[in-house]
């Protein structure tokens, strides 16, 4: 998922009609939840299949886990309520 970077991931959500949820994860307000079905439509079948194969998890378990965890992970990666600069992100690697 994150091979293209956080910005690309958020762009996928935006392009697939889920920008409101994704923006809430970046911003300082409460995180909006996303359903496993919406997550699947945002990420696309190819990415879900690849992640399922990489993790050995079923599609349902993978989507359920991501729907619960992804908002919190993105929230933690954007503590200032915005995308990190390249310099800020480089400190995490």
């Amino acid at each position: 998922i994150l091979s293209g970077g956080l910005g690309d991931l958020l762009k996928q959500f935006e392009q697939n009609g889920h920008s409101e949820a994704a923006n809430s994860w970046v911003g300082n307000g409460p995180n909006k939840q996303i359903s496993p079905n919406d997550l699947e439509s945002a990420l696309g079948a190819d990415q879900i299949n690849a992640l399922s194969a990489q993790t050995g998890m079923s599609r349902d378990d993978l989507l359920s886990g991501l729907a619960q965890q992804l908002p919190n992970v993105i929230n933690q990666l954007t503590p200032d309520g915005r995308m990190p600069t390249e310099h800020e992100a480089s400190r995490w690697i």
Side-chain angles (χ1 to χ4, degrees):
I1 276 186
L2 294 177
S3 62
L6 184 58
D8 288 348
L9 177 65
L10 294 173
K11 193 178 295 180
Q12 271 188 275
F13 280 91
E14 208 173 280
Q15 291 171 342
N16 290 299
H18 302 289
S19 58
E20 188 178 336
N23 288 337
S24 78
W25 307 338
V26 173
N28 288 324
N31 292 336
K32 291 188 182 294
Q33 295 302 306
I34 190 164
S35 73
N37 286 343
D38 287 345
L39 187 60
E40 184 173 24
S41 74
L43 296 177
D46 289 346
Q47 277 197 344
I48 298 301
N49 288 338
L51 286 170
S52 183
Q54 287 174 1
T55 62
M57 296 174 72
S58 72
R59 288 175 64 91
D60 289 344
D61 287 347
L62 178 72
L63 287 167
S64 177
L66 281 174
Q68 289 179 5
Q69 299 300 321
L70 194 60
N72 294 329
V73 169
I74 292 177
N75 191 46
Q76 290 173 8
L77 291 174
T78 56
D80 299 322
R82 60 171 172 75
M83 290 291 295
T85 64
E86 200 171 308
H87 175 72
E88 291 167 336
S90 70
R91 291 182 292 180
W92 303 334
I93 299 173

